[in-house]
Amino acid sequence: MTGPLANQTALVTGAASGIGAALSRELAAQGAHVILTDRQDELGADVLAAITSAGGSGEYHSLDVTDLDAWQQLAADVLARHDGLDYLFNNAGIGVGGEVKKMSAEDWQQIVDVNIHGVINGVQAFYPGMVARRSGHIINTASAAGLGPTPLSVAYCATKHAVVGLSTSLRAEASTEGVKVSVLCPGVIRTPILDGGKYGRIVGFDAQKLVDMWEIARPMDVDK
């Protein structure tokens, strides 16, 4: 497919649903070859099928972003077949919402592993290759929750503040290496993360009540 991103390769984590799926569809529509990754393999295959049926180019790989070894294996494969990666969208994330007083150590560990280490692992796997080529763009999905206080989403808010800090700091450092870094801070978007998503959850608080509170903020359609 022709377009402004023709002959460019983009990798998107969390590509099976929500913002990741919308990003993947739009990247393909702009002409990029899109490498979709997720743990929701059936949904990921459906997104890829929609892309290819529309004339786009892509491939799907199952990836747990908390697994650095899996990241490195994927990076070796991508770099061997595509001679580098032009765009890395570190988008995968989960929500663990509710009251902190009722959260367990395991709740904290899971959201930190996915939302922070998942981004770090992507950087570890692909940033050195971008530096070597003096080319590439890393785009990390944070949140408006990474810019201000968000009660009942304290753990999520903490991880997204970390993604903002990682991104803005790496942006300054990477500017001397020919690599671009951006951070996305969306507001309330209508995605599965509103109710925790497949791998997240709401702890110690009525899930429907929390979703109703989010509805007051009028979630934006993900394709916008």
Side-chain angles (χ1 to χ4, degrees):
M1 182 178 289
T2 60
L5 297 182
N7 302 315
Q8 303 285 292
T9 303
L11 187 151
V12 182
T13 67
S17 64
I19 292 173
L23 278 171
S24 298
R25 291 190 294 266
E26 183 61 23
L27 287 162
Q30 295 289 332
H33 177 79
V34 186
I35 302 167
L36 299 88
T37 71
D38 207 296
R39 287 189 288 173
Q40 302 178 86
D41 296 340
E42 291 186 7
L43 288 177
D46 289 343
V47 177
L48 177 60
I51 286 172
T52 55
S53 67
S57 174
E59 58 192 82
Y60 177 80
H61 297 264
S62 185
L63 176 68
D64 178 352
V65 297
T66 69
D67 185 343
L68 180 58
D69 287 341
W71 266 109
Q72 291 174 332
Q73 290 173 22
L74 178 59
D77 174 66
V78 169
L79 297 179
R81 291 188 297 111
H82 297 287
D83 191 32
L85 186 69
D86 299 296
Y87 297 93
L88 169 62
F89 287 84
N90 280 313
N91 169 77
I94 61 169
V96 178
E99 297 179 282
V100 169
K101 66 185 179 183
K102 296 181 180 178
M103 286 180 62
S104 67
E106 288 75 20
D107 293 328
W108 280 99
Q109 190 64 57
Q110 184 183 13
I111 196 168
V112 167
D113 283 347
V114 174
N115 291 7
I116 301 178
H117 285 128
V119 175
I120 292 170
N121 288 344
V123 172
Q124 286 279 99
F126 282 101
Y127 178 62
M130 290 181 173
V131 170
R133 295 175 68 206
R134 296 195 63 80
S135 172
H137 194 160
I138 297 171
I139 304 94
N140 300 323
T141 301
S143 168
L147 302 174
T150 313
L152 298 178
S153 296
V154 173
Y156 181 79
C157 185
T159 61
K160 294 306 184 178
H161 270 74
V163 173
V164 171
L166 182 159
S167 303
T168 55
S169 299
L170 181 60
R171 178 185 177 92
E173 184 174 320
S175 66
T176 66
E177 304 284 1
V179 178
K180 299 178 181 179
V181 180
S182 300
V183 59
L184 306 182
C185 295
V188 182
I189 312 296
R190 192 173 297 286
T191 76
I193 208 166
L194 283 174
D195 57 4
K198 178 175 174 61
Y199 294 101
R201 56 194 166 277
I202 295 172
V203 179
F205 197 82
D206 181 79
Q208 187 57 53
K209 184 176 180 181
L210 194 56
V211 170
D212 290 344
M213 290 167 62
W214 274 319
E215 285 296 329
I216 295 171
R218 295 182 296 175
M220 181 182 290
D221 179 82
V222 69
D223 287 312
K224 291 185 180 179

